[in-house]
Amino acid sequence: MKEYKMRRGQTLEENAPDLKATVERYFGPVTGTEEWNGHELYVVDEPDNPVFKRIVAGAATYSGKKDQLAVHFEEHEAAAILEKGLEDHAQDAVSAKNEFLLEVTGRDAKSRRDSMKRAVEDDAPDY
């Protein structure tokens, strides 16, 4: 499960006032919910794109700081995708993930990567 921060000055509620509807628009009908670290997340057990096996997404709410987007994209193995002839759907899956994350977090892929690099650097021990 990954957690994504919102762009500075933005909130999850502003970017996706109806997060369930946003998840459904990008990935298919929500089939239930699942608890993760005390947060209730939406589950899509049968995503529209056949590259995905399952998607879990929702708001990770913390007291004293901004909400974050918690999301897990479970995908079929690359060999299985090739075997089933789903290569065309793979590009659509990447686009759907990036567009969803951009809409909800307000941050593009480069900004998200840079943020994750900084988080890893902050966790590195000082020698």
Side-chain angles (χ1 to χ4, degrees), residues 27 47 49-55 73-76 93 96-97:
F27 305 112
N49 189 312
V51 170
F52 296 117
K53 284 184 185 178
R54 183 171 190 254
I55 296 168
F73 299 105
E74 189 176 331
E75 300 175 1
H76 291 283
K97 285 192 297 188

Side-chain angles (χ1 to χ4, degrees), residues 1-56:
M1 186 77 58
K2 288 186 181 177
E3 290 188 34
Y4 295 92
K5 295 178 182 180
M6 301 303 110
R7 173 182 264 157
R8 185 177 305 238
Q10 295 181 355
T11 65
L12 183 60
E13 182 63 31
E14 291 171 346
N15 292 350
D18 187 352
L19 186 56
K20 180 180 179 184
T22 304
V23 169
E24 288 181 330
R25 186 165 24 105
Y26 281 96
F27 305 112
V30 170
T31 54
T33 60
E34 183 176 292
E35 187 175 318
W36 176 77
N37 283 355
H39 309 294
E40 197 72 23
L41 308 178
Y42 300 113
V43 177
V44 179
D45 280 320
E46 296 178 21
D48 293 341
N49 189 312
V51 170
F52 296 117
K53 284 184 185 178
R54 183 171 190 254
I55 296 168
V56 181

Side-chain angles (χ1 to χ4, degrees), residues 3 36-37 39 60-68 70:
E3 290 188 34
W36 176 77
N37 283 355
H39 309 294
T61 307
Y62 300 100
S63 64
K65 64 182 198 179
K66 290 197 317 188
D67 294 352
Q68 295 185 11

Side-chain angles (χ1 to χ4, degrees), residues 76-98:
H76 291 283
E77 296 294 323
I81 292 169
L82 294 172
E83 187 177 296
K84 293 178 182 180
L86 302 174
E87 303 88 17
D88 295 342
H89 295 283
Q91 187 172 356
D92 294 339
V94 171
S95 293
K97 285 192 297 188
N98 282 328

